[in-house]
Amino acid sequence: MYCYLYDDFIQGNKRFEKELALIENRLTDLGIAGKISRLALFRNAEEMIRDEIDKGVTTVVVLGNDDTVRKVLNVIAESGVVFGMIPIGPKNNLAKLLGIPEGVAACDVLSARRVETIDIGSVNGRKFISEVSVPEFRAEITFEEKFRVFPTSTAELEVRNLSGESNPCDGMLQAVIRADVKKGLLRRSTKEESILPLQSMTIRSEKPIQVFADGELMEGTRFDISVESMGMKIITGKERAFET
């Protein structure tokens, strides 16, 4: 049983009226039409999804973009239902990584129902699919409570789960640290990159820093990041950016 969640930015927007009509007709033709629910500014998305799951929904499909996915990711990952996506509008990087085309073409991917179980990341209890990024920081990083790193200069950090360069099915995250390192007699600064596979890490900073989880801003002085192996069932296309 399918439930389709329409994000509020496509509702009543004439720009998307024709495309939505094509999508709804194609879903009916494919025999996978289902309940339509609409996300709204003053409506609790998680509560709405739980209500639909209690009524027997086994697949939740969002119509929207990366921002839409962030609104519902926690409850979908925790519920164990299958997640699908019909990308509409701008900012659809996640759909590209999953091999899902935009608009009505995504309906055929849903119908093919190529379901993969992938790892899901967590930062301070907030789920993420793609990555956590820290664009500029000087903070202590503890890797799996085994060793610590403290950049001597301002550094960049990415913690990848699904990025096109990491495997979201190996039970590991990939930490990428880029920092300026001075070398040679002239002490010229060059940017070096270190890549570390891990299952958990902690970032500690004396001052608040900005962290982006799948593009969503978080601020604080401590961030606990971990991976839940095989934590989410998701419909993918043939052109997905990873192999299982």
Side-chain angles (χ1 to χ4, degrees):
M1 184 174 174
Y2 287 79
C3 176
Y4 294 90
L5 299 178
Y6 288 39
D7 203 343
D8 54 3
F9 79 88
I10 64 175
Q11 299 172 45
N13 189 328
K14 291 185 178 181
R15 175 186 171 189
F16 302 115
E17 282 182 359
K18 183 178 179 180
E19 190 169 22
L20 285 175
L22 291 172
I23 288 169
E24 290 170 3
N25 288 336
R26 185 58 180 159
L27 292 173
T28 299
D29 292 342
L30 292 168
I32 55 173
K35 170 73 177 294
I36 294 176
S37 295
R38 291 174 169 81
L39 300 177
L41 183 61
F42 300 108
R43 189 176 181 187
N44 188 305
E46 294 192 0
E47 183 178 318
M48 180 178 65
I49 293 169
R50 288 193 181 97
D51 287 344
E52 296 300 333
I53 292 171
D54 289 342
K55 294 174 184 176
V57 164
T58 56
T59 301
V60 175
V61 180
V62 299
L63 282 78
N65 57 18
D66 291 349
D67 293 336
T68 317
V69 176
R70 286 198 295 268
K71 294 176 184 178
V72 302
L73 180 58
N74 269 33
V75 65
I76 290 177
E78 291 167 1
S79 67
V81 297
V82 176
F83 170 75
M85 187 176 185
I86 298 178
I88 296 178
K91 296 194 296 184
N92 271 301
N93 183 60
L94 177 59
K96 293 176 183 177
L97 292 171
L98 295 174
I100 302 174
E102 293 188 14
V104 68
C107 299
D108 292 272
V109 174
L110 290 176
S111 180
R113 202 170 174 82
R114 185 177 288 103
V115 178
E116 302 290 352
T117 304
I118 67 170
D119 303 334
I120 191 83
S122 175
V123 51
N124 289 1
R126 187 215 174 282
K127 308 292 186 185
F128 66 91
I129 295 179
S130 181
E131 67 176 23
V132 168
S133 62
V134 189
E136 187 173 297
F137 79 106
R138 289 186 67 176
E140 178 186 280
I141 307 174
T142 304
F143 293 95
E144 299 180 343
E145 299 298 331
K146 294 178 181 178
F147 63 94
R148 293 183 294 176
V149 172
F150 190 93
T152 56
S153 61
T154 300
E156 302 170 11
L157 171 68
E158 293 176 5
V159 185
R160 300 168 176 167
N161 180 51
L162 169 60
S163 68
E165 300 177 33
S166 56
N167 182 358
C169 303
D170 62 359
M172 304 291 286
L173 298 172
Q174 186 183 79
V176 181
I177 302 173
R178 300 184 188 91
D180 290 327
V181 178
K182 293 183 178 180
K183 289 185 174 183
L185 295 175
L186 299 178
R187 306 298 291 167
R188 289 177 176 171
S189 181
T190 59
K191 192 172 288 293
E192 289 198 350
E193 181 177 279
S194 300
I195 301 177
L196 298 168
L198 55 93
Q199 292 181 317
S200 65
M201 64 182 291
T202 299
I203 303 171
R204 296 180 179 89
S205 174
E206 293 182 358
K207 298 180 180 179
I209 59 174
Q210 293 187 336
V211 169
F212 295 86
D214 281 349
E216 183 176 8
L217 173 64
M218 303 174 68
E219 292 185 295
T221 57
R222 174 170 175 154
F223 298 91
D224 295 299
I225 303 172
S226 61
V227 62
E228 180 183 344
S229 179
M230 303 289 107
M232 186 171 180
K233 291 179 286 189
I234 194 163
I235 296 174
T236 68
K238 291 181 180 179
E239 303 302 318
R240 64 183 181 271
F242 63 94
E243 297 294 332
T244 57

